[in-house]
């Protein structure tokens, strides 16, 4: 008995290009917000001290954001990367709302964009998971 996989869903070329533009912009944003954390910049420590993670937690989150930024640029990984960035951005939005409410729009907008990319790449993520299960 053979199993068939569903036909890949195709999207118009303009939509695919727009999605890649969003992913590149997100990759730049995540790389820029990750660098101060990865380098241990003292200005980035306060939110992590607030939740008890301190410098080690900050550095780990920075490396996760940076890895996600790189993975957003890899066609096979971009869907999974965007899905993995969602919880990080939820945390960033909540922390910013508590610590610096006037700046909460920045992580909130980034969260919305990363959710859109994760949703639009959900079939790619499912295909990757299916490939890994083989």
């Amino acid at each position: 008995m053979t199993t068939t996989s569903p036909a890949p869903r195709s999207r118009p070329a303009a939509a695919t290009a727009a999605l890649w533009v969003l992913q590149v912009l997100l990759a730049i944003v995540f790389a820029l917000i990750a660098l101060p954390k990865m380098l241990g910049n003292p200005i980035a420590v306060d939110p992590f001290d607030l939740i008890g993670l301190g410098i080690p937690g900050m550095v780990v989150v920075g490396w996760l954001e940076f890895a996600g930024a790189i993975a957003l640029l890899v066609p096979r990984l971009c869907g999974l990367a965007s899905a993995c960035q969602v919880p990080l951005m939820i945390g960033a939005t909540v922390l910013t709302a508590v610590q610096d409410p006037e700046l909460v729009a920045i992580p909130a907008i980034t969260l919305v964009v990363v959710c859109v990319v994760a949703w639009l790449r959900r079939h790619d993520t499912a295909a990757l998971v299916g490939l890994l299960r083989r």
Side-chain angles (χ1 to χ4, degrees), residues 18-102:
L19 184 55
W20 275 107
V21 167
L22 276 179
Q23 288 173 216
V24 168
L25 291 174
L26 278 174
I28 292 168
V29 167
F30 281 119
L32 290 176
I33 63 174
L35 286 175
K37 295 171 190 156
M38 291 167 46
L39 299 174
N41 188 328
I43 203 161
V45 175
D46 287 344
F48 292 92
D49 279 343
L50 181 69
I51 59 173
L53 293 178
I55 293 174
M58 176 188 70
V59 172
V60 168
V61 168
W63 279 102
L64 289 172
E65 290 170 341
F66 192 73
I70 293 168
L72 278 168
L73 302 175
V74 178
R76 182 91 62 179
L77 299 176
C78 59
L80 182 61
S82 58
C84 290
Q85 294 290 26
V86 169
L88 288 174
M89 289 315 301
I90 290 171
T93 303
V94 170
L95 278 176
T96 304
V98 169
Q99 189 176 33
D100 209 353
E102 63 274 0

Side-chain angles (χ1 to χ4, degrees), residues 2-10 122-131 134:
T2 60
T3 59
T4 60
S5 60
R9 296 178 188 238
S10 62
R122 69 190 181 280
H123 301 294
D124 299 323
T125 305
L128 177 62
V129 170
L131 183 66
R134 287 186 181 181

